[in-house]
Amino acid sequence: MPELPFTDEHEELRESIRRFVAAELRPHANEWEDAHWFPDEVFQRFAEHGFLGLKYPQEYGGEGGDYLHEAVLAEELARCGSGGLAAGVGAHVNIATPPIWKFGTDEQKQRYLAPAIRGEAIGALAITEPDAGSDVAGIRTQARRVDGGWVVNGSKMFITNGVRAHFYVTAVKTTGEGGHHGLSFLLVDKQDGVKASAIEKLGWHASDTGLIAFEDVFVPEESLLGRENEGFYLIMANFQWERLLMALGAVGAMQVAYDKTVAFARERTAFGKPLTKHQALRHKLTDVATTLHAGRCVTYDALRRFAAGEDAVKEVTMAKLVTQRACFDVMDTCLQIHGGAGYMREYEIERMARDARLGPIGGGTDEIMKEILGKVLGL
Ligand SMILES: Cc1cc2nc3c(=O)[nH]c(=O)nc-3n(C[C@H](O)[C@H](O)[C@H](O)COP(=O)(O)OP(=O)(O)OC[C@H]3O[C@@H](n4cnc5c(N)ncnc54)[C@H](O)[C@@H]3O)c2cc1C
């Protein structure tokens, strides 16, 4: 094990989250994956345990914890048996609400953050558009100034919680040109003029990934989040945390896959001996264990730096880059070791492989991570 960034208190939280996941989420994973939906009440169950507000101040109903508490939740959610469920809760806690916490007025925090922590209002972060993903500055959704606020027109693509969300933390153009100095964030309530539909996808089945259309949606002045035309800064501000969370989720998922596959390989025999006694398969498992350990070391190093307030762009970017493709490769190896069973639903490795494929794409693609690293390294 690398030097753990966690204290005994964080480990106690881990035990309680692990019990919650095993008792209340894991048993429903198949049902929710089949339904391509998990009930909204799940958010309230999380909230009752304080798990939607671990890092948020108590004055808004949070637990007053730190980033490491949240990191424990991200790792443990990997045990729930559904990447989509982990993604839906993760998007609410880790990408939709942090900008409100960091940039919101007290009134905005009371109106959005507090009910989000109570599990009563579900949030989504709406940045990506049909014609702008990696090129964040290229978004086109337009907010036109009118008396008392803005009128928003445009569309957003691939938005996690996009269908179920009660509010959207939405990136819009507030100048004609948009770009780095012409974007702002608006808190947009679900209302007439906001149309959301689910998009079918390879994995994350329990999560609703939405295509959202805004048609003449009025957003009042007081719903501007942060400063006008400084939205690009706000987008960048949470990227490190989002990417770190993805790295932690991948480490958690690789651990689950390793444990599951070792148990299977010890039990299953071929040519008169357990699979683990065949050198080629044993080597595959040692490769997985090594990849997992390396991914965890890099991720915990980035987490420790980030939690200490250091500029950890390089370490976080490397952690995101190294863990996401590795996680998918690990799932593929584990699936192969399961043989035909790996292709079957019952063993859940096929789902884990499908769910892991999003990693090198979401939260900034592997190619974009390399571009960032190229700059940080002065190449
Ligand atoms: C399941 C799912 C959930 C998501 N949830 C959300 C969400 O909640 N909120 C949200 O706002 N977004 C969300 N996204 C969007 C996600 O962040 C984008 O899909 C991602 O950033 C990539 O953007 P894109 O799909 O437009 O691909 P593009 O930007 O069109 O990229 C296409 C390909 O070109 C490569 N490429 C692009 N530019 C360069 C370059 N300069 N150099 C080299 N290669 C490059 C990319 O790496 C990629 O391989 C989600 C996506 C998915 C699939």
Side-chain angles (χ1 to χ4, degrees):
M1 270 286 188
E3 192 195 330
L4 293 181
F6 306 109
T7 63
D8 288 349
E9 193 220 326
H10 294 114
E11 293 305 332
E12 278 168 30
L13 173 70
R14 184 186 301 283
E15 285 311 309
S16 100
I17 296 175
R18 197 170 284 189
R19 278 196 302 275
F20 170 74
V21 169
E24 301 208 25
L25 306 181
R26 190 73 190 77
H28 301 287
N30 286 345
E31 176 195 337
W32 295 341
E33 283 281 306
D34 283 351
H36 286 217
W37 186 264
F38 66 91
D40 285 355
E41 292 70 40
V42 169
F43 285 91
Q44 275 136 41
R45 292 298 296 149
F46 270 80
E48 282 160 28
H49 289 81
F51 297 156
L52 296 185
L54 291 171
K55 63 184 172 309
Y56 293 137
Q58 289 170 338
E59 60 181 307
Y60 302 108
E63 300 297 304
D66 54 31
Y67 280 114
L68 295 172
H69 291 97
E70 204 70 78
V72 169
L73 177 67
E75 257 187 291
E76 291 305 313
L77 274 182
R79 296 176 181 272
C80 78
S82 160
L85 170 60
V89 174
H92 176 78
V93 169
N94 287 314
I95 62 174
T97 48
I100 306 173
W101 170 43
K102 281 194 205 141
F103 298 96
T105 61
D106 182 55
E107 192 272 329
Q108 288 171 338
K109 289 178 194 169
Q110 296 293 357
R111 193 149 48 99
Y112 292 99
L113 184 60
I117 291 170
R118 292 196 297 272
E120 293 164 8
I122 299 167
L125 179 73
I127 299 175
T128 306
E129 300 188 353
D131 294 315
S134 304
D135 182 11
V136 175
I139 66 164
R140 294 186 191 167
T141 295
Q142 183 77 53
R144 183 170 46 85
R145 263 275 180 205
V146 292
D147 237 16
W150 292 267
V151 169
V152 178
N153 281 286
S155 53
K156 296 288 174 183
M157 184 70 134
F158 308 146
I159 306 306
T160 304
N161 293 338
V163 177
R164 71 174 80 230
H166 299 99
F167 65 89
Y168 302 91
V169 180
T170 309
V172 293
K173 264 168 72 173
T174 33
T175 62
E177 308 78 48
H180 295 91
H181 304 290
L183 304 184
S184 305
F185 266 84
L186 298 177
L187 293 162
V188 183
D189 294 323
K190 176 81 72 44
Q191 58 187 284
D192 287 349
V194 178
K195 296 195 177 62
S197 52
I199 313 169
E200 289 298 308
K201 53 197 183 297
L202 175 72
W204 283 20
H205 282 173
S207 148
D208 52 307
T209 304
L211 167 62
I212 298 152
F214 298 107
E215 288 168 19
D216 290 330
V217 176
F218 176 73
V219 180
E221 194 88 52
E222 61 268 22
S223 294
L224 172 71
L225 183 62
R227 295 209 197 135
E228 192 171 354
N229 298 330
E230 291 186 14
F232 195 77
Y233 171 69
L234 194 143
I235 294 176
M236 293 299 129
N238 200 50
F239 264 157
Q240 301 315 313
W241 179 236
E242 177 180 0
R243 289 168 184 164
L244 202 38
L245 263 300
M246 289 185 70
L248 285 157
V251 167
M254 287 191 277
Q255 182 73 60
V256 172
Y258 174 75
D259 293 345
K260 201 185 248 302
T261 308
V262 168
F264 178 87
R266 285 201 170 118
E267 184 98 349
R268 175 86 182 165
T269 56
F271 297 94
K273 53 186 180 181
L275 298 183
T276 44
K277 298 300 172 199
H278 293 274
Q279 190 187 44
L281 296 186
R282 196 163 60 242
H283 285 190
K284 279 185 199 285
L285 284 169
T286 56
D287 284 347
V288 168
T290 307
T291 302
L292 167 59
H293 181 70
R296 178 171 271 135
C297 287
V298 173
T299 301
Y300 281 2
D301 176 57
L303 175 62
R304 205 178 296 107
R305 290 170 190 275
F306 179 88
E310 282 180 40
D311 174 1
V313 172
K314 183 177 82 180
E315 290 79 6
V316 170
T317 309
M318 286 180 170
K320 200 287 182 177
L321 179 62
V322 81
T323 53
Q324 304 305 304
R325 175 59 65 174
C327 183
F328 181 62
D329 290 345
V330 159
M331 295 309 164
D332 188 41
T333 301
C334 291
L335 193 155
Q336 186 71 16
I337 294 172
H338 277 75
Y343 203 70
M344 301 301 142
R345 237 194 78 161
E346 184 187 343
Y347 289 83
E348 293 187 7
I349 285 287
E350 60 85 29
R351 181 188 303 161
M352 294 181 76
R354 286 187 287 105
D355 288 349
R357 188 60 187 88
L358 193 265
I361 299 170
T365 64
D366 279 4
E367 291 76 14
I368 295 302
M369 293 307 102
K370 290 179 189 177
E371 282 301 289
I372 294 169
L373 282 173
K375 281 194 197 119
V376 174
L377 299 172
L379 302 175

